[in-house]
Amino acid sequence: MRILYLLLVVLFVVVQGVAGQSYFSSPAHACRFRRGSCFFGRCRRPYHQIGSCGGGSSCCVRRRWA
């Protein structure tokens, strides 16, 4: 009976740790979160690549001139 309580506590701790993570987020959502846009193929000027959106698309942001 004690092991049942211990398993319940372990399950609760695991669920607490996973609650804030988004496993179903797509790469396009991650690109938009980084203030980028998805373009098919390579990024063209004035954009540069910061990642990929999947399916042959690139995550691009506008280049900032300092």
Side-chain angles (χ1 to χ4, degrees):
M1 200 65 181
R2 271 188 191 167
I3 196 158
L4 182 64
Y5 291 118
L6 288 174
L7 288 174
L8 187 63
V9 168
V10 169
L11 180 66
F12 179 75
V13 169
V14 168
V15 169
Q16 282 289 98
V18 174
Q21 297 180 2
S22 172
Y23 288 106
F24 302 106
S25 180
S26 70
H29 289 261
C31 182
R32 288 189 199 109
F33 180 75
R34 295 176 68 187
R35 297 190 181 177
S37 301
C38 294
F39 292 102
F40 184 73
R42 298 181 69 190
C43 302
R44 293 175 181 82
R45 290 184 190 226
Y47 296 96
H48 71 277
Q49 186 173 359
I50 59 170
S52 67
C53 296
S57 297
S58 300
C59 182
C60 308
V61 294
R62 188 174 283 264
R63 192 177 302 258
R64 294 184 184 174
W65 303 103

PDB file of all heavy atoms in Angstrom, residues 1-31:
ATOM      1  N   MET A   1       0.827  -1.195   0.000  1.00  0.00           N
ATOM      2  CA  MET A   1       0.000   0.000   0.000  1.00  0.00           C
ATOM      3  C   MET A   1       0.875   1.266   0.000  1.00  0.00           C
ATOM      4  O   MET A   1       0.500   2.258  -0.584  1.00  0.00           O
ATOM      5  CB  MET A   1      -0.905  -0.066   1.226  1.00  0.00           C
ATOM      6  CG  MET A   1      -2.094   0.808   1.131  1.00  0.00           C
ATOM      7  SD  MET A   1      -3.164   0.250  -0.195  1.00  0.00           S
ATOM      8  CE  MET A   1      -4.411   1.449  -0.084  1.00  0.00           C
ATOM      9  N   ARG A   2       2.028   1.159   0.685  1.00  0.00           N
ATOM     10  CA  ARG A   2       2.913   2.322   0.715  1.00  0.00           C
ATOM     11  C   ARG A   2       3.439   2.660  -0.667  1.00  0.00           C
ATOM     12  O   ARG A   2       3.620   3.821  -1.003  1.00  0.00           O
ATOM     13  CB  ARG A   2       4.102   2.054   1.623  1.00  0.00           C
ATOM     14  CG  ARG A   2       3.882   2.415   3.019  1.00  0.00           C
ATOM     15  CD  ARG A   2       5.185   2.298   3.756  1.00  0.00           C
ATOM     16  NE  ARG A   2       4.945   2.395   5.176  1.00  0.00           N
ATOM     17  CZ  ARG A   2       5.821   2.101   6.086  1.00  0.00           C
ATOM     18  NH1 ARG A   2       7.002   1.652   5.723  1.00  0.00           N
ATOM     19  NH2 ARG A   2       5.541   2.246   7.343  1.00  0.00           N
ATOM     20  N   ILE A   3       3.744   1.649  -1.439  1.00  0.00           N
ATOM     21  CA  ILE A   3       4.301   1.902  -2.767  1.00  0.00           C
ATOM     22  C   ILE A   3       3.295   2.609  -3.661  1.00  0.00           C
ATOM     23  O   ILE A   3       3.665   3.393  -4.529  1.00  0.00           O
ATOM     24  CB  ILE A   3       4.808   0.590  -3.397  1.00  0.00           C
ATOM     25  CG1 ILE A   3       5.722   0.926  -4.571  1.00  0.00           C
ATOM     26  CG2 ILE A   3       3.667  -0.286  -3.856  1.00  0.00           C
ATOM     27  CD1 ILE A   3       6.652  -0.178  -4.928  1.00  0.00           C
ATOM     28  N   LEU A   4       2.025   2.389  -3.449  1.00  0.00           N
ATOM     29  CA  LEU A   4       0.994   3.082  -4.210  1.00  0.00           C
ATOM     30  C   LEU A   4       1.055   4.586  -3.946  1.00  0.00           C
ATOM     31  O   LEU A   4       0.973   5.391  -4.869  1.00  0.00           O
ATOM     32  CB  LEU A   4      -0.384   2.529  -3.861  1.00  0.00           C
ATOM     33  CG  LEU A   4      -1.557   3.128  -4.608  1.00  0.00           C
ATOM     34  CD1 LEU A   4      -1.438   2.821  -6.091  1.00  0.00           C
ATOM     35  CD2 LEU A   4      -2.855   2.609  -4.050  1.00  0.00           C
ATOM     36  N   TYR A   5       1.245   4.961  -2.689  1.00  0.00           N
ATOM     37  CA  TYR A   5       1.360   6.379  -2.357  1.00  0.00           C
ATOM     38  C   TYR A   5       2.626   6.993  -2.949  1.00  0.00           C
ATOM     39  O   TYR A   5       2.625   8.130  -3.421  1.00  0.00           O
ATOM     40  CB  TYR A   5       1.333   6.583  -0.842  1.00  0.00           C
ATOM     41  CG  TYR A   5      -0.012   6.283  -0.235  1.00  0.00           C
ATOM     42  CD1 TYR A   5      -0.163   5.269   0.693  1.00  0.00           C
ATOM     43  CD2 TYR A   5      -1.138   7.008  -0.610  1.00  0.00           C
ATOM     44  CE1 TYR A   5      -1.393   4.985   1.242  1.00  0.00           C
ATOM     45  CE2 TYR A   5      -2.379   6.740  -0.075  1.00  0.00           C
ATOM     46  CZ  TYR A   5      -2.507   5.725   0.858  1.00  0.00           C
ATOM     47  OH  TYR A   5      -3.726   5.452   1.400  1.00  0.00           O
ATOM     48  N   LEU A   6       3.712   6.243  -2.935  1.00  0.00           N
ATOM     49  CA  LEU A   6       4.956   6.744  -3.514  1.00  0.00           C
ATOM     50  C   LEU A   6       4.822   6.923  -5.023  1.00  0.00           C
ATOM     51  O   LEU A   6       5.304   7.920  -5.579  1.00  0.00           O
ATOM     52  CB  LEU A   6       6.103   5.794  -3.198  1.00  0.00           C
ATOM     53  CG  LEU A   6       6.583   5.790  -1.756  1.00  0.00           C
ATOM     54  CD1 LEU A   6       7.623   4.700  -1.559  1.00  0.00           C
ATOM     55  CD2 LEU A   6       7.151   7.136  -1.375  1.00  0.00           C
ATOM     56  N   LEU A   7       4.185   5.975  -5.693  1.00  0.00           N
ATOM     57  CA  LEU A   7       3.966   6.115  -7.131  1.00  0.00           C
ATOM     58  C   LEU A   7       3.072   7.299  -7.447  1.00  0.00           C
ATOM     59  O   LEU A   7       3.278   8.004  -8.440  1.00  0.00           O
ATOM     60  CB  LEU A   7       3.370   4.836  -7.701  1.00  0.00           C
ATOM     61  CG  LEU A   7       4.318   3.641  -7.790  1.00  0.00           C
ATOM     62  CD1 LEU A   7       3.567   2.402  -8.234  1.00  0.00           C
ATOM     63  CD2 LEU A   7       5.467   3.939  -8.708  1.00  0.00           C
ATOM     64  N   LEU A   8       2.085   7.533  -6.611  1.00  0.00           N
ATOM     65  CA  LEU A   8       1.200   8.684  -6.806  1.00  0.00           C
ATOM     66  C   LEU A   8       1.974   9.996  -6.664  1.00  0.00           C
ATOM     67  O   LEU A   8       1.778  10.918  -7.444  1.00  0.00           O
ATOM     68  CB  LEU A   8       0.047   8.623  -5.803  1.00  0.00           C
ATOM     69  CG  LEU A   8      -1.043   9.664  -5.986  1.00  0.00           C
ATOM     70  CD1 LEU A   8      -1.727   9.485  -7.329  1.00  0.00           C
ATOM     71  CD2 LEU A   8      -2.046   9.578  -4.859  1.00  0.00           C
ATOM     72  N   VAL A   9       2.872  10.065  -5.703  1.00  0.00           N
ATOM     73  CA  VAL A   9       3.690  11.267  -5.513  1.00  0.00           C
ATOM     74  C   VAL A   9       4.615  11.478  -6.709  1.00  0.00           C
ATOM     75  O   VAL A   9       4.750  12.599  -7.213  1.00  0.00           O
ATOM     76  CB  VAL A   9       4.492  11.171  -4.199  1.00  0.00           C
ATOM     77  CG1 VAL A   9       5.542  12.260  -4.131  1.00  0.00           C
ATOM     78  CG2 VAL A   9       3.558  11.251  -3.013  1.00  0.00           C
ATOM     79  N   VAL A  10       5.250  10.424  -7.186  1.00  0.00           N
ATOM     80  CA  VAL A  10       6.135  10.538  -8.345  1.00  0.00           C
ATOM     81  C   VAL A  10       5.358  10.979  -9.574  1.00  0.00           C
ATOM     82  O   VAL A  10       5.805  11.849 -10.332  1.00  0.00           O
ATOM     83  CB  VAL A  10       6.870   9.201  -8.595  1.00  0.00           C
ATOM     84  CG1 VAL A  10       7.583   9.214  -9.934  1.00  0.00           C
ATOM     85  CG2 VAL A  10       7.832   8.915  -7.465  1.00  0.00           C
ATOM     86  N   LEU A  11       4.199  10.414  -9.788  1.00  0.00           N
ATOM     87  CA  LEU A  11       3.359  10.813 -10.911  1.00  0.00           C
ATOM     88  C   LEU A  11       2.971  12.281 -10.813  1.00  0.00           C
ATOM     89  O   LEU A  11       3.003  13.016 -11.794  1.00  0.00           O
ATOM     90  CB  LEU A  11       2.111   9.933 -10.972  1.00  0.00           C
ATOM     91  CG  LEU A  11       1.135  10.246 -12.101  1.00  0.00           C
ATOM     92  CD1 LEU A  11       1.772   9.931 -13.443  1.00  0.00           C
ATOM     93  CD2 LEU A  11      -0.153   9.483 -11.915  1.00  0.00           C
ATOM     94  N   PHE A  12       2.625  12.738  -9.622  1.00  0.00           N
ATOM     95  CA  PHE A  12       2.256  14.140  -9.417  1.00  0.00           C
ATOM     96  C   PHE A  12       3.431  15.067  -9.746  1.00  0.00           C
ATOM     97  O   PHE A  12       3.257  16.096 -10.404  1.00  0.00           O
ATOM     98  CB  PHE A  12       1.794  14.352  -7.978  1.00  0.00           C
ATOM     99  CG  PHE A  12       1.414  15.755  -7.681  1.00  0.00           C
ATOM    100  CD1 PHE A  12       0.221  16.284  -8.142  1.00  0.00           C
ATOM    101  CD2 PHE A  12       2.256  16.580  -6.954  1.00  0.00           C
ATOM    102  CE1 PHE A  12      -0.133  17.586  -7.882  1.00  0.00           C
ATOM    103  CE2 PHE A  12       1.916  17.885  -6.684  1.00  0.00           C
ATOM    104  CZ  PHE A  12       0.719  18.389  -7.147  1.00  0.00           C
ATOM    105  N   VAL A  13       4.633  14.719  -9.322  1.00  0.00           N
ATOM    106  CA  VAL A  13       5.811  15.549  -9.583  1.00  0.00           C
ATOM    107  C   VAL A  13       6.106  15.601 -11.077  1.00  0.00           C
ATOM    108  O   VAL A  13       6.425  16.659 -11.622  1.00  0.00           O
ATOM    109  CB  VAL A  13       7.016  15.023  -8.780  1.00  0.00           C
ATOM    110  CG1 VAL A  13       8.310  15.693  -9.226  1.00  0.00           C
ATOM    111  CG2 VAL A  13       6.792  15.237  -7.295  1.00  0.00           C
ATOM    112  N   VAL A  14       5.964  14.480 -11.773  1.00  0.00           N
ATOM    113  CA  VAL A  14       6.211  14.448 -13.218  1.00  0.00           C
ATOM    114  C   VAL A  14       5.184  15.300 -13.944  1.00  0.00           C
ATOM    115  O   VAL A  14       5.525  16.073 -14.849  1.00  0.00           O
ATOM    116  CB  VAL A  14       6.196  12.988 -13.734  1.00  0.00           C
ATOM    117  CG1 VAL A  14       6.162  12.952 -15.243  1.00  0.00           C
ATOM    118  CG2 VAL A  14       7.401  12.247 -13.206  1.00  0.00           C
ATOM    119  N   VAL A  15       3.920  15.204 -13.553  1.00  0.00           N
ATOM    120  CA  VAL A  15       2.872  15.995 -14.210  1.00  0.00           C
ATOM    121  C   VAL A  15       3.083  17.480 -13.950  1.00  0.00           C
ATOM    122  O   VAL A  15       2.879  18.304 -14.840  1.00  0.00           O
ATOM    123  CB  VAL A  15       1.475  15.531 -13.741  1.00  0.00           C
ATOM    124  CG1 VAL A  15       0.395  16.492 -14.177  1.00  0.00           C
ATOM    125  CG2 VAL A  15       1.183  14.131 -14.258  1.00  0.00           C
ATOM    126  N   GLN A  16       3.541  17.850 -12.781  1.00  0.00           N
ATOM    127  CA  GLN A  16       3.820  19.250 -12.479  1.00  0.00           C
ATOM    128  C   GLN A  16       4.931  19.788 -13.380  1.00  0.00           C
ATOM    129  O   GLN A  16       4.871  20.916 -13.839  1.00  0.00           O
ATOM    130  CB  GLN A  16       4.252  19.401 -11.016  1.00  0.00           C
ATOM    131  CG  GLN A  16       3.126  19.362 -10.029  1.00  0.00           C
ATOM    132  CD  GLN A  16       2.278  20.599 -10.099  1.00  0.00           C
ATOM    133  OE1 GLN A  16       1.244  20.593 -10.739  1.00  0.00           O
ATOM    134  NE2 GLN A  16       2.697  21.647  -9.464  1.00  0.00           N
ATOM    135  N   GLY A  17       5.952  18.995 -13.612  1.00  0.00           N
ATOM    136  CA  GLY A  17       7.073  19.447 -14.429  1.00  0.00           C
ATOM    137  C   GLY A  17       6.726  19.569 -15.897  1.00  0.00           C
ATOM    138  O   GLY A  17       7.258  20.406 -16.615  1.00  0.00           O
ATOM    139  N   VAL A  18       5.800  18.764 -16.386  1.00  0.00           N
ATOM    140  CA  VAL A  18       5.440  18.751 -17.800  1.00  0.00           C
ATOM    141  C   VAL A  18       4.344  19.766 -18.107  1.00  0.00           C
ATOM    142  O   VAL A  18       4.152  20.148 -19.253  1.00  0.00           O
ATOM    143  CB  VAL A  18       5.003  17.328 -18.205  1.00  0.00           C
ATOM    144  CG1 VAL A  18       4.480  17.281 -19.613  1.00  0.00           C
ATOM    145  CG2 VAL A  18       6.159  16.369 -18.057  1.00  0.00           C
ATOM    146  N   ALA A  19       3.659  20.265 -17.107  1.00  0.00           N
ATOM    147  CA  ALA A  19       2.488  21.118 -17.316  1.00  0.00           C
ATOM    148  C   ALA A  19       2.811  22.388 -18.109  1.00  0.00           C
ATOM    149  O   ALA A  19       2.003  22.827 -18.919  1.00  0.00           O
ATOM    150  CB  ALA A  19       1.870  21.493 -15.976  1.00  0.00           C
ATOM    151  N   GLY A  20       3.963  22.968 -17.919  1.00  0.00           N
ATOM    152  CA  GLY A  20       4.280  24.215 -18.592  1.00  0.00           C
ATOM    153  C   GLY A  20       4.891  24.061 -19.968  1.00  0.00           C
ATOM    154  O   GLY A  20       5.090  25.037 -20.680  1.00  0.00           O
ATOM    155  N   GLN A  21       5.183  22.836 -20.392  1.00  0.00           N
ATOM    156  CA  GLN A  21       5.837  22.621 -21.675  1.00  0.00           C
ATOM    157  C   GLN A  21       4.819  22.332 -22.754  1.00  0.00           C
ATOM    158  O   GLN A  21       3.825  21.671 -22.524  1.00  0.00           O
ATOM    159  CB  GLN A  21       6.814  21.456 -21.573  1.00  0.00           C
ATOM    160  CG  GLN A  21       7.927  21.722 -20.605  1.00  0.00           C
ATOM    161  CD  GLN A  21       8.874  20.541 -20.522  1.00  0.00           C
ATOM    162  OE1 GLN A  21       8.710  19.561 -21.209  1.00  0.00           O
ATOM    163  NE2 GLN A  21       9.867  20.657 -19.667  1.00  0.00           N
ATOM    164  N   SER A  22       5.097  22.856 -23.933  1.00  0.00           N
ATOM    165  CA  SER A  22       4.206  22.656 -25.068  1.00  0.00           C
ATOM    166  C   SER A  22       4.841  21.666 -26.037  1.00  0.00           C
ATOM    167  O   SER A  22       5.758  22.005 -26.775  1.00  0.00           O
ATOM    168  CB  SER A  22       3.951  23.982 -25.765  1.00  0.00           C
ATOM    169  OG  SER A  22       3.261  23.790 -26.951  1.00  0.00           O
ATOM    170  N   TYR A  23       4.366  20.426 -26.034  1.00  0.00           N
ATOM    171  CA  TYR A  23       4.921  19.410 -26.916  1.00  0.00           C
ATOM    172  C   TYR A  23       4.281  19.439 -28.297  1.00  0.00           C
ATOM    173  O   TYR A  23       4.784  18.832 -29.214  1.00  0.00           O
ATOM    174  CB  TYR A  23       4.744  18.020 -26.304  1.00  0.00           C
ATOM    175  CG  TYR A  23       5.653  17.778 -25.145  1.00  0.00           C
ATOM    176  CD1 TYR A  23       5.165  17.779 -23.854  1.00  0.00           C
ATOM    177  CD2 TYR A  23       7.007  17.566 -25.332  1.00  0.00           C
ATOM    178  CE1 TYR A  23       5.993  17.566 -22.785  1.00  0.00           C
ATOM    179  CE2 TYR A  23       7.847  17.342 -24.269  1.00  0.00           C
ATOM    180  CZ  TYR A  23       7.337  17.339 -22.994  1.00  0.00           C
ATOM    181  OH  TYR A  23       8.178  17.128 -21.950  1.00  0.00           O
ATOM    182  N   PHE A  24       3.179  20.112 -28.451  1.00  0.00           N
ATOM    183  CA  PHE A  24       2.450  20.085 -29.708  1.00  0.00           C
ATOM    184  C   PHE A  24       2.652  21.360 -30.512  1.00  0.00           C
ATOM    185  O   PHE A  24       1.901  21.649 -31.412  1.00  0.00           O
ATOM    186  CB  PHE A  24       0.967  19.855 -29.436  1.00  0.00           C
ATOM    187  CG  PHE A  24       0.717  18.585 -28.686  1.00  0.00           C
ATOM    188  CD1 PHE A  24       0.380  18.601 -27.359  1.00  0.00           C
ATOM    189  CD2 PHE A  24       0.861  17.369 -29.322  1.00  0.00           C
ATOM    190  CE1 PHE A  24       0.158  17.435 -26.669  1.00  0.00           C
ATOM    191  CE2 PHE A  24       0.654  16.191 -28.638  1.00  0.00           C
ATOM    192  CZ  PHE A  24       0.296  16.222 -27.307  1.00  0.00           C
ATOM    193  N   SER A  25       3.669  22.125 -30.179  1.00  0.00           N
ATOM    194  CA  SER A  25       3.961  23.359 -30.897  1.00  0.00           C
ATOM    195  C   SER A  25       4.652  23.034 -32.219  1.00  0.00           C
ATOM    196  O   SER A  25       5.529  22.193 -32.291  1.00  0.00           O
ATOM    197  CB  SER A  25       4.860  24.246 -30.052  1.00  0.00           C
ATOM    198  OG  SER A  25       5.141  25.432 -30.736  1.00  0.00           O
ATOM    199  N   SER A  26       4.241  23.708 -33.266  1.00  0.00           N
ATOM    200  CA  SER A  26       4.853  23.471 -34.572  1.00  0.00           C
ATOM    201  C   SER A  26       6.055  24.397 -34.751  1.00  0.00           C
ATOM    202  O   SER A  26       6.170  25.419 -34.072  1.00  0.00           O
ATOM    203  CB  SER A  26       3.831  23.732 -35.675  1.00  0.00           C
ATOM    204  OG  SER A  26       3.543  25.096 -35.760  1.00  0.00           O
ATOM    205  N   PRO A  27       6.956  24.074 -35.670  1.00  0.00           N
ATOM    206  CA  PRO A  27       8.098  24.952 -35.931  1.00  0.00           C
ATOM    207  C   PRO A  27       7.666  26.339 -36.415  1.00  0.00           C
ATOM    208  O   PRO A  27       8.354  27.318 -36.158  1.00  0.00           O
ATOM    209  CB  PRO A  27       8.882  24.217 -37.016  1.00  0.00           C
ATOM    210  CG  PRO A  27       8.485  22.798 -36.901  1.00  0.00           C
ATOM    211  CD  PRO A  27       7.071  22.816 -36.410  1.00  0.00           C
ATOM    212  N   ALA A  28       6.521  26.434 -37.095  1.00  0.00           N
ATOM    213  CA  ALA A  28       6.048  27.739 -37.558  1.00  0.00           C
ATOM    214  C   ALA A  28       5.668  28.625 -36.366  1.00  0.00           C
ATOM    215  O   ALA A  28       5.915  29.833 -36.381  1.00  0.00           O
ATOM    216  CB  ALA A  28       4.861  27.568 -38.490  1.00  0.00           C
ATOM    217  N   HIS A  29       5.097  28.027 -35.328  1.00  0.00           N
ATOM    218  CA  HIS A  29       4.759  28.804 -34.132  1.00  0.00           C
ATOM    219  C   HIS A  29       6.030  29.288 -33.438  1.00  0.00           C
ATOM    220  O   HIS A  29       6.081  30.417 -32.947  1.00  0.00           O
ATOM    221  CB  HIS A  29       3.928  27.967 -33.165  1.00  0.00           C
ATOM    222  CG  HIS A  29       2.549  27.708 -33.641  1.00  0.00           C
ATOM    223  ND1 HIS A  29       1.464  28.424 -33.221  1.00  0.00           N
ATOM    224  CD2 HIS A  29       2.067  26.820 -34.536  1.00  0.00           C
ATOM    225  CE1 HIS A  29       0.375  27.981 -33.813  1.00  0.00           C
ATOM    226  NE2 HIS A  29       0.723  26.997 -34.626  1.00  0.00           N
ATOM    227  N   ALA A  30       7.052  28.440 -33.401  1.00  0.00           N
ATOM    228  CA  ALA A  30       8.325  28.841 -32.805  1.00  0.00           C
ATOM    229  C   ALA A  30       8.963  29.970 -33.601  1.00  0.00           C
ATOM    230  O   ALA A  30       9.564  30.878 -33.027  1.00  0.00           O
ATOM    231  CB  ALA A  30       9.267  27.635 -32.730  1.00  0.00           C
ATOM    232  N   CYS A  31       8.810  29.929 -34.914  1.00  0.00           N
ATOM    233  CA  CYS A  31       9.359  30.995 -35.762  1.00  0.00           C
ATOM    234  C   CYS A  31       8.637  32.313 -35.485  1.00  0.00           C
ATOM    235  O   CYS A  31       9.274  33.357 -35.349  1.00  0.00           O
ATOM    236  CB  CYS A  31       9.230  30.610 -37.227  1.00  0.00           C
ATOM    237  SG  CYS A  31       9.928  31.810 -38.369  1.00  0.00           S
TER     238      CYS A  31
END
